[in-house]
Amino acid sequence: MGEMNNESRNAAAGIDLSQFFQVFFEEAGENLESMEQLLLNLDVADADDEEMNAIFRCAHSVKGGAATFGFSDVAELTHQMETLLDKLRRHELAPTAPMVDVLLAAGDALKAQLARHQGNGEAAIDTAELLVAIRAMAEGSAPPAAPAPKAAAVERPPAAPAAVVKPPVRALELTVGPLPDVAHAEPLVELFQEIAGLGTIEPLDAGRAADGMRRFKVVTTSSDNDLIDLFSFHVAREQVRLAPLTAGYGFHDGAPGAPDPGAEIDPGYGFFAEAPGAPAAAEAAAPAAEPARPHLPAPKADKAEKLEKAVPAPESSTLRVSVEKVDQLINLVGELVITQAMLAQTSKGVDAALHQQLSSGLADLERNTRDLQEAVMGIRMIPMSLVFNRFPRMLRDLAGKLGKRVELVQVGEATELDKGLVEKITDPLTHLVRNSCDHGIELPAERLAQGKPEHGTITLIASHQGGSIVIEVRDDGKGLNRAKLLAKARERGIEAPDSMADAEVYGLIFAPGFSTAEVVTDVSGRGVGMDVVKRNITALGGTVEIDSAEGYGMTVRVRLPLTLAIMDGMSVGVADECYILPLSSVVESFQVRPGMIRTIGGNGRVVEVRDEYMPVLDLEKLFGVPRFDFEHVGNIMVVVEAEGGRVALLVDELLGQQQVVVKNLESNYRRVEDVSGATIMGDGRVALILDVGSLVRRSRH
């Protein structure tokens, strides 16, 4: 991948990972809090295996995110913690109180490192002693005491006695913009002037602001970083530019207002490659390399409150609400939709001319209910691209580390998923993508020898299939080796006869601690990846399927049930029962004519539609619907499509199209085959929502 074509390289380099930083910091903070509680509650004399695995997973999750976003100091410390925790959970070492102390100290250091990357801390964290202590414990020796993380000394402006050399005076040209209104730059001048000892500022562009840019002359002793941080309170950081003041605007040597020729002018304005304050270099570098920010001169006491109000609080733009509260809100909106449908059905028998105000009110209620429902559902629905966009950079770095060439293909990134599902599948997907790159894709020389292109391809696919959400991770690598999996399973004491089906053999990789990697690295080999995938997906009530062809590649398919949504559906009638078909799966409907349905194989039936035969499923027989009206036997076909196949459903009538609130049938009753959920109709009846994918699979069998 290190030799990608220019288009691929530019696409990879153009991804702004900063949009995911806040999510990572929140998740990392939660993992560190969980790890601390688990360590505090750990019984050293009788440690529980599940507790040790949980502590390990917390460190593993933090390390994975830190490595993805380039926080190398966090990744290094958590990697060493993983090594120690891995030996503890495998019972190669026995936990001791000093180990817990060291791990707690490491957790504190990680919190400080993350705070520094967020801009909330200024001191660099020295973790050298911690790393030495953790390595020593992992090797079986115990240091005398747990070291505490030290903050590296930060250079601060001295409290200027007369003997101390004063900082150099610098004359700069400040450019701000483009701005929608040049008056937006005035608060910058006020803020600059309110801070005592900062210097002087005056406009350079009187009458020249037609392009939306404002220019100022700044004479100060402060660094570029200080000034950019200050001006960023009012305008975006990328809209601020500092440059040496050159001849022009009447400020050349000898002109009135020029800086004192005898004053010491610092030639380094922070815009050469080595300057620590260069904004372009600082933003292009990895986040971990961000230098500590020097202090601005202290503001006057009577202006401190005004300056504090000028700084926007980063928390003010978002509000973090628990998932339970959002679920409760969505449930209430769902009940409101059902109630509105009942009122609409009841009002059909009311004379609109006599009750015009009632009809108008019900129409307004229907419109407002739909708007409210769409707004509430939009709170939790986010596009899959926010998850997929994390992987190009990760794959680029990982492939470069492994010496491989990998291209990433994304399909269905616009598919919107529930935020709760996205958060829970992000970690499993990360493991699957890393495993595909590490274990699946071969080295370029090996691929060329096998007649493959030297660059491998990993494909991410997201789609809705009937009542399920399906996410696939495909690679064109070497696939799974059945013999190797069986040998590894027997080595670990797992019963694995040669008669096992391929699907069962592939499922062995989900066993806890199962790994075929020969060497443990910071990429993989600890046997935690697929175990986490299986655990998280199963907790969601989903399934994981593996399809592999040795030498050609592998596909991991994650299928999650539709737990709660409001969807468009087509209601069909069978005898006295009503069923709902997802409108996105309905292709067409037509009336059956004599001779269209034919019998094959004794009991199978097919229907001919435009010279194409497709299987027929009679819903009356499939669900055992009792029939009391034999005059209106089903003579309407509804063609539905899912999982690449079509099937014709035989029904009595089409009742219409409507929005339905999907309720989870499994949690309220039990799992019913060929049914993905249920809903409440306008007349109060319960209607089952059919799983079209399951019906297609049934027709194939």
Side-chain angles (χ1 to χ4, degrees):
M1 187 166 177
E3 310 247 345
M4 295 185 302
N5 56 45
N6 290 334
E7 184 177 352
S8 300
R9 187 182 295 110
N10 293 337
I15 294 171
D16 181 15
L17 290 180
S18 62
Q19 59 184 312
F20 309 118
F21 282 2
Q22 190 57 38
V23 177
F24 163 71
F25 288 135
E26 291 174 359
E27 293 176 351
E30 292 173 357
N31 279 311
L32 291 178
E33 289 294 335
S34 299
M35 184 172 68
E36 180 175 328
Q37 291 301 319
L38 289 167
L39 286 170
L40 292 174
N41 297 330
L42 185 66
D43 185 359
V44 177
D46 185 19
D48 182 69
D49 287 347
E50 187 55 35
E51 290 180 348
M52 295 306 305
N53 284 329
I55 296 172
F56 177 88
R57 285 193 294 271
C58 289
H60 185 79
S61 296
V62 174
K63 187 201 78 170
T68 299
F69 295 113
F71 301 141
S72 56
D73 53 347
V74 177
E76 180 185 12
L77 181 54
T78 47
H79 179 61
Q80 295 301 327
M81 294 170 66
E82 267 192 332
T83 303
L84 175 59
L85 290 167
D86 190 42
K87 292 189 175 183
L88 290 175
R89 74 181 186 126
R90 294 176 182 272
H91 303 287
E92 297 177 12
L93 292 175
T96 62
M99 288 182 182
V100 174
D101 294 339
V102 168
L103 291 172
L104 287 172
D108 293 338
L110 288 172
K111 292 178 183 178
Q113 287 174 333
L114 292 171
R116 178 172 175 268
H117 290 305
Q118 284 182 279
N120 299 332
E122 295 179 352
I125 308 302
D126 183 6
T127 58
E129 293 183 22
L130 268 175
L131 293 172
V132 170
I134 295 173
R135 289 193 192 102
M137 289 183 170
E139 292 169 0
S141 58
K150 295 182 180 179
V154 178
E155 296 183 5
R156 300 179 182 274
V164 177
V165 179
K166 295 181 180 179
V169 178
R170 306 189 301 152
L172 305 175
E173 179 184 339
L174 166 66
T175 305
V176 183
L179 300 172
D181 182 356
V182 293
H184 288 179
E186 297 306 324
L188 297 179
V189 179
E190 297 177 6
L191 184 61
F192 188 97
Q193 294 172 343
E194 287 174 356
I195 300 179
L198 192 55
T200 62
I201 183 171
E202 52 187 292
L204 292 174
D205 56 1
R208 302 191 194 183
D211 58 353
M213 309 293 291
R214 290 299 308 270
R215 298 172 180 83
F216 301 90
K217 172 197 171 185
V218 175
V219 178
T220 183
T221 59
S222 298
S223 68
D224 293 338
N225 262 2
D226 288 349
L227 297 173
I228 292 175
D229 287 343
L230 175 67
F231 295 138
S232 297
F233 292 158
H234 283 294
V235 297
R237 191 179 182 93
E238 59 270 14
Q239 292 182 298
V240 182
R241 295 289 182 271
L242 290 172
L245 189 65
T246 57
Y249 302 112
F251 286 99
H252 48 83
D253 292 342
D260 183 3
E264 181 183 353
I265 303 297
D266 183 5
Y269 296 102
F271 286 94
F272 47 89
E274 295 78 14
E283 291 172 10
E290 181 180 344
R293 294 182 300 176
H295 286 284
L296 284 168
K300 292 189 229 176
D302 58 347
K303 301 294 184 180
E305 183 178 354
K306 185 173 182 181
L307 176 59
E308 183 178 350
K309 291 180 179 178
V311 182
E315 294 82 10
S316 61
S317 60
T318 59
L319 177 64
R320 194 172 184 186
V321 181
S322 67
V323 176
E324 290 78 10
K325 290 184 177 180
V326 178
D327 285 342
Q328 182 181 13
L329 180 61
I330 292 177
N331 281 330
L332 290 173
V333 171
E335 296 299 327
L336 181 61
V337 171
I338 294 172
T339 303
Q340 182 272 324
M342 290 181 177
L343 289 174
Q345 182 149 338
T346 304
S347 66
K348 290 180 180 179
V350 177
D351 190 340
L354 298 177
H355 302 86
Q356 184 177 1
Q357 190 171 359
L358 174 62
S359 300
S360 176
L362 289 174
D364 290 341
L365 176 63
E366 181 178 4
R367 182 177 63 257
N368 293 334
T369 301
R370 176 176 282 271
D371 292 343
L372 176 63
Q373 162 232 308
E374 291 178 354
V376 172
M377 293 301 295
I379 293 176
R380 290 186 59 102
M381 302 303 288
I382 60 177
M384 201 64 196
S385 59
L386 290 180
V387 179
F388 285 178
N389 285 346
R390 300 182 179 204
F391 299 128
R393 169 67 185 276
M394 182 191 78
L395 271 180
R396 186 176 187 274
D397 296 342
L398 186 59
K401 181 185 299 185
L402 298 173
K404 299 179 178 180
R405 299 181 182 179
V406 182
E407 289 187 0
L408 180 66
V409 178
Q410 302 177 15
V411 179
E413 61 266 34
T415 303
E416 287 196 337
L417 301 183
D418 184 274
K419 183 177 186 294
L421 290 176
V422 168
E423 291 177 343
K424 291 180 174 64
I425 64 174
T426 297
D427 194 46
L429 284 182
T430 301
H431 286 301
L432 292 176
V433 172
R434 290 170 69 89
N435 282 347
S436 290
C437 183
D438 187 22
H439 298 299
I441 303 297
E442 308 94 336
L443 291 169
E446 185 180 347
R447 291 181 63 86
L448 289 174
Q450 296 175 359
K452 295 182 177 181
E454 63 179 355
H455 62 272
T457 302
I458 295 178
T459 307
L460 296 174
I461 304 174
S463 63
H464 291 288
Q465 295 185 5
S468 300
I469 296 165
V470 180
I471 301 170
E472 299 182 30
V473 180
R474 299 178 181 175
D475 67 71
D476 63 348
K478 57 189 175 184
L480 294 177
N481 185 310
R482 176 187 172 94
K484 188 175 182 180
L485 289 173
L486 290 173
K488 189 69 176 181
R490 292 163 185 163
E491 178 184 327
R492 291 182 49 82
I494 301 175
E495 184 178 354
D498 291 333
S499 60
M500 290 179 66
D502 286 346
E504 295 175 338
V505 175
Y506 300 152
L508 291 172
I509 66 175
F510 294 120
F514 191 95
S515 176
T516 57
E518 303 294 339
V519 180
V520 174
T521 68
D522 61 346
V523 176
S524 62
R526 299 182 186 274
V528 69
M530 301 304 288
D531 182 20
V532 170
V533 171
K534 184 75 170 180
R535 178 188 299 270
N536 290 1
I537 300 303
T538 303
L540 295 172
T543 59
V544 185
E545 306 166 6
I546 295 181
D547 188 13
S548 176
E550 187 174 355
Y552 294 94
M554 180 175 106
T555 298
V556 180
R557 187 176 295 106
V558 176
R559 186 181 300 273
L560 299 171
L562 186 60
T563 54
L564 176 66
I566 299 178
M567 54 173 271
D568 288 314
M570 174 178 284
S571 53
V572 297
V574 179
D576 292 334
E577 296 295 328
C578 176
Y579 297 97
I580 305 295
L581 299 171
L583 194 61
S584 59
S585 300
V586 176
V587 178
E588 62 178 324
S589 61
F590 56 88
Q591 194 152 3
V592 180
R593 297 191 304 273
M596 290 182 65
I597 300 179
R598 303 183 183 183
T599 303
I600 59 172
N603 56 2
R605 296 198 298 172
V606 296
V607 61
E608 182 181 1
V609 182
R610 290 185 293 277
D611 298 328
E612 178 186 355
Y613 289 94
M614 62 183 65
V616 174
L617 287 181
D618 189 342
L619 293 185
E620 179 184 350
K621 295 181 179 178
L622 181 62
F623 293 109
V625 180
R627 180 179 293 278
F628 303 100
D629 181 6
F630 294 95
E631 295 182 1
H632 302 88
V633 180
N635 63 349
I636 295 178
M637 289 283 187
V638 180
V639 178
V640 292
E641 182 178 33
E643 300 184 11
R646 292 186 177 186
V647 62
L649 304 179
L650 187 60
V651 301
D652 291 353
E653 57 181 333
L654 304 179
L655 300 178
Q657 174 187 340
Q658 63 191 95
Q659 278 206 324
V660 296
V661 179
V662 181
K663 296 292 186 181
N664 190 311
L665 191 62
E666 186 172 354
S667 60
N668 293 291
Y669 173 56
R670 64 177 176 84
R671 180 174 178 80
V672 179
E673 194 174 4
D674 302 323
V675 173
S676 62
T679 187
I680 301 176
M681 305 297 289
D683 57 2
R685 292 190 302 163
V686 174
L688 299 180
I689 302 172
L690 302 186
D691 185 348
V692 178
S694 176
L695 295 176
V696 171
R697 290 193 296 272
R698 174 184 288 274
S699 68
R700 288 170 178 166
H701 295 159

